[in-house]
């Protein structure tokens, strides 16, 4: 039996992990791979657990969080920004897809 990893953790991990990989390797493309891979896994979970419309909305939130973290970082710093948007996406993911299971 495989453990069930909450989609909230996958999505937040993709945002934080993508940024961390990009920062520590100094290769933005590698961070993008992490971000995209986690987003794809989370999207599949969202679709399976909450349906296509919810998956689309959560996917849009994931992309918006990534994009929004950049201007936010100029105001609060990079790590607080990334952690904040990751937390927001995790909360939305839990509320829409994970709490049902």
């Amino acid at each position: 039996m495989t453990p069930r990893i909450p989609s909230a953790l996958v999505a937040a991990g993709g945002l934080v992990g993508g940024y961390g990989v990009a920062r520590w390797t100094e290769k933005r493309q590698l961070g993008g791979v992490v971000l995209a891979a986690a987003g794809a896994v989370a999207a599949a979970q969202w679709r399976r657990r909450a349906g296509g419309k919810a998956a689309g909305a959560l996917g849009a939130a994931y992309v918006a969080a990534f994009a929004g973290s950049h201007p936010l970082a100029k105001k609060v710093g990079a790590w607080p920004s990334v952690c904040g948007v990751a937390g927001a996406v995790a909360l939305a993911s839990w509320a829409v897809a994970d709490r049902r299971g």
Side-chain angles (χ1 to χ4, degrees):
M1 186 163 148
T2 59
R4 179 181 153 138
I5 299 170
S7 62
L9 182 60
V10 174
L15 288 161
V16 172
Y19 174 68
V21 167
R23 180 163 183 156
W24 289 316
T25 65
E26 298 181 358
K27 297 191 184 326
R28 293 179 71 173
Q29 299 87 349
L30 192 55
V33 169
V34 171
L35 179 78
V41 170
Q45 290 177 316
W46 295 328
R47 192 175 322 103
R48 191 169 48 255
R49 294 176 186 166
K53 286 183 182 180
L58 288 168
Y62 185 79
V63 172
F66 167 70
S69 69
H70 292 81
L72 182 60
K74 292 179 181 177
K75 296 179 188 279
V76 300
W79 278 113
S81 173
V82 171
C83 290
V85 300
V89 169
L91 182 60
S93 182
W94 174 82
V96 172
D98 292 336
R99 75 177 163 152
R100 296 177 185 192

